[in-house]
Amino acid sequence: MAFDGEPSFRQSVDLMFNRAVSVMDLSPGLEEKIRVCNSTYTVRFGVRLRGAIHTFTGYRSVHSEHMEPVKGGIRFATSVNQDEVEALAALMTYKCALVETPFGGSKGGLCIDPRDYEEHEMELITRRFAYELVKRDLINPAQNVPAPDMGTGEREMAWIVDQYKRMNTTDINGAACVTGKPLNAGGIAGRVEATGRGVQYALREFFRHPKDMEAAKLKGTLDGKRVIVQGLGNVGYHAALFLSSEDGCNITGIIERDGALVNPKGMSVQAVRDWLSEHGGVEGCPEGTYVADGAKVLEEECDILVPAALEGVINRANAGNIKAPLIIEAANGPITAGADEMLRVRGTVIIPDMYANAGGVTVSYFEWVKNLSHIRFGRMQRRQEEARHQILIDELERLSADKGLGWTLSPGFKDQYLRGAGELELVRSGLDDTMRAAYQSISELWKSRSDVSDMRMAAYIVAIDRVAKSYRSKGL
Ligand code: GLU
């Protein structure tokens, strides 16, 4: 439970913003312009279901239009409210600036528990919500481009793009009105797992910076590190899966809605996920010992804590008990401003949300570009690249034969070298490059300025500075 007096999510974001601008040289007018949320549209609409009219409340908030389109997901959850949507829209502005995707910040939400409805009912509701937003240009390839968030995924994005196209039959760029679509509806390879991949790339980059590791008193590599993950949804599942199967991390704790599983030896993320899909909870899963009070597992010993579910889960009530020396915020806003301060004092290193979970919007950007260019990445170059590599292999083999050297290239090398990059390889390379560059901009500032005490503050400064430059160049 949060303490009384804990700031709201929106206030938390503002407090973190204020810390950053206190050491920046922004004119007060510009500071206020960047901080405020430009607009929030609230819609209430009715859908006839099961013989009665049901009324739903939805939001689309635009935080900053210094670049357009504005970008940010649509969340389906019962916790959705205006404060939350505005906080998330503000984070999108800073996130996009930090990873240099040319977008302003926006976010949407529908107050609903998707588990209460059948698939065809969800389609009616989603299409109706999309209709309300499309007709006000709050979904539009040039102005406002939603994406998945909590409670939404490819399925909802496919309905939204179809709804947009029905209402804009001659818009040749219609597919770019939303990202996170299935491949067959204009999506891009690697988008589903992009946020989890981004978390993995962020951690890999952290472990390439010895000074930053020292701040968290961590040594070595990711191999063997004990990781606790909260939330095995799209982001938490992929992050934990990649960290364990590709980097050698031990997933020692998994926290879900109904409780948690712990196992000091590490668990198979796939086995827990399969159990969860089948049983709706983690209780009884043989991968680990079940703990009914899941939130308590946030306080267990580990090397890396990955909150990948809701906002505010680490607050003033439990921050004092958190033992992890490194927290990576895979969710948006999992640490309140109050808890952030307490953790900072204790020396916990926090890789902040606006950076840590930016993999999703980064690959959304690639998808949007793909849709506008009407061609799959790699389609023109792939075979040409393979043909050029083949020339080199042929030449090496000819030299070896001519000179009687007896060289043979290992089949593994040949296969790997010969394969031209397809869309998935290019998406991963672009994502990795983006995550590395953004990390470096944060780390450099953090380490070079004595008045910048932590990575969150550094990330805000880098992002706000870019937004400010963009406003200034518009004459504001
Ligand atoms: N909802 C995701 C986020 O919070 C993705 C947004 C997007 O791809 O536009 O970053």
Side-chain angles (χ1 to χ4, degrees):
M1 255 330 269
F3 279 159
D4 280 348
E6 188 103 53
S8 74
F9 188 9
R10 174 81 243 232
Q11 287 164 337
S12 259
V13 172
D14 283 353
L15 285 167
M16 291 166 177
F17 175 93
N18 292 346
R19 275 188 70 228
V21 294
S22 71
V23 300
M24 293 177 75
D25 193 20
L26 291 182
S27 67
L30 185 55
E31 182 184 313
E32 177 70 358
K33 173 69 211 79
I34 297 173
R35 194 182 54 76
V36 298
C37 185
N38 288 3
S39 63
T40 301
Y41 169 70
T42 307
V43 59
R44 292 183 190 85
F45 59 89
V47 183
R48 180 174 285 279
L49 303 167
R50 306 173 200 176
I53 294 189
H54 294 238
T55 303
F56 297 92
T57 305
Y59 305 90
R60 186 77 183 161
S61 180
V62 176
H63 174 261
S64 175
E65 292 149 292
H66 65 287
M67 282 195 187
E68 282 185 312
V70 292
K71 192 89 190 72
I74 291 185
R75 172 173 290 201
F76 285 0
T78 47
S79 54
V80 163
N81 58 56
Q82 183 168 346
D83 184 278
E84 182 191 69
V85 174
E86 290 186 356
L88 292 165
L91 281 175
M92 284 310 304
T93 296
Y94 309 131
K95 191 185 304 190
C96 289
L98 188 64
V99 292
E100 297 182 283
T101 54
F103 302 130
S106 182
K107 200 81 174 197
L110 186 65
C111 206
I112 190 172
D113 185 346
R115 289 170 305 179
D116 291 347
Y117 299 91
E118 304 280 336
E119 179 159 2
H120 72 275
E121 294 174 326
M122 281 313 298
E123 179 173 352
L124 283 176
I125 299 163
T126 306
R127 282 185 182 275
R128 183 60 211 273
F129 185 32
Y131 167 82
E132 295 293 334
L133 298 180
V134 171
K135 77 175 183 192
R136 290 171 178 84
D137 285 334
L138 289 167
I139 295 178
N140 180 302
Q143 286 194 33
N144 198 322
V145 181
D149 199 81
M150 199 186 292
T152 57
E154 288 189 329
R155 184 184 73 165
E156 288 71 20
M157 303 306 117
W159 293 331
I160 293 174
V161 72
D162 187 63
Q163 186 64 34
Y164 178 89
K165 285 184 173 173
R166 285 184 190 190
M167 295 167 73
N168 296 274
T169 49
T170 56
D171 185 349
I172 196 169
N173 292 320
C177 78
V178 67
T179 57
K181 303 176 293 289
L183 257 185
N184 60 20
I188 193 167
R191 174 62 185 86
V192 173
E193 66 271 31
T195 314
R197 264 284 166 228
V199 171
Q200 176 195 31
Y201 290 164
L203 279 172
R204 283 184 179 174
E205 189 59 13
F206 175 85
F207 278 87
R208 287 189 198 106
H209 285 71
K211 280 222 172 87
D212 301 359
M213 288 163 62
E214 230 170 77
K217 299 189 183 61
L218 285 170
K219 289 196 173 69
T221 63
L222 275 168
D223 192 28
K225 293 287 179 290
R226 297 162 303 165
V227 175
I228 294 179
V229 56
Q230 186 200 33
L232 218 54
N234 182 41
V235 180
Y237 161 65
H238 283 110
L241 184 70
F242 299 147
L243 286 170
S244 54
S245 62
E246 297 172 13
D247 295 292
C249 290
N250 278 340
I251 310 299
T252 55
I254 294 178
I255 309 168
E256 257 296 322
R257 284 171 204 260
D258 68 320
L261 293 176
V262 288
N263 184 346
K265 293 204 181 79
M267 292 176 265
S268 155
V269 175
Q270 195 54 55
V272 178
R273 170 88 162 191
D274 292 345
W275 181 276
L276 191 61
S277 325
E278 201 181 322
H279 300 85
V282 291
E283 188 174 5
C285 176
E287 280 295 313
T289 310
Y290 176 70
V291 180
D293 186 1
K296 274 278 161 223
V297 175
L298 290 168
E299 302 169 14
E300 291 282 317
E301 292 266 0
C302 66
D303 299 306
I304 306 169
L305 180 59
V306 189
L310 275 177
E311 56 262 15
V313 292
I314 300 175
N315 47 57
R316 283 162 59 206
N318 62 359
N321 304 328
I322 301 285
K323 295 176 196 70
L326 175 65
I327 305 179
I328 178 157
E329 295 184 310
N332 286 308
I335 301 178
T336 64
D340 191 59
E341 198 180 323
M342 289 168 68
L343 291 165
R344 236 178 12 248
V345 173
R346 289 159 51 107
T348 310
V349 173
I350 300 169
I351 304 181
D353 48 6
M354 77 167 75
Y355 166 67
N357 67 38
V361 76
T362 301
V363 177
S364 276
Y365 168 44
F366 302 153
E367 180 177 333
W368 181 73
V369 171
K370 172 188 182 181
N371 295 151
L372 295 180
S373 55
H374 299 268
I375 189 165
R376 183 181 75 233
F377 288 108
R379 181 163 173 180
M380 304 290 279
Q381 308 92 315
R382 185 177 188 157
R383 301 299 168 199
Q384 197 259 355
E385 200 182 319
E386 288 180 358
R388 276 183 37 232
H389 288 181
Q390 187 67 55
I391 295 173
L392 182 67
I393 297 280
D394 290 349
E395 189 63 6
L396 277 175
E397 285 176 341
R398 187 192 61 76
L399 273 175
S400 167
D402 280 6
K403 309 269 177 223
L405 297 171
W407 292 348
T408 43
L409 298 170
S410 55
F413 164 81
K414 241 171 121 168
D415 285 351
Q416 260 183 311
Y417 184 70
L418 279 176
R419 205 178 320 127
E423 185 165 84
L424 185 60
E425 288 81 13
L426 293 168
V427 162
R428 285 193 187 153
S429 146
L431 176 59
D432 194 11
D433 186 58
T434 304
M435 295 307 289
R436 289 189 199 205
Y439 186 93
Q440 284 156 19
S441 64
I442 299 170
S443 176
E444 249 170 61
L445 197 77
W446 177 33
K447 289 284 163 259
S448 64
R449 274 177 63 169
S450 57
D451 56 353
V452 178
S453 61
D454 56 279
M455 283 210 236
R456 190 190 309 281
M457 193 173 177
Y460 267 93
I461 294 174
V462 172
I464 295 167
D465 187 51
R466 290 184 184 156
V467 177
K469 283 198 175 103
S470 166
Y471 273 122
R472 279 196 208 103
S473 63
K474 285 180 194 291
L476 260 180

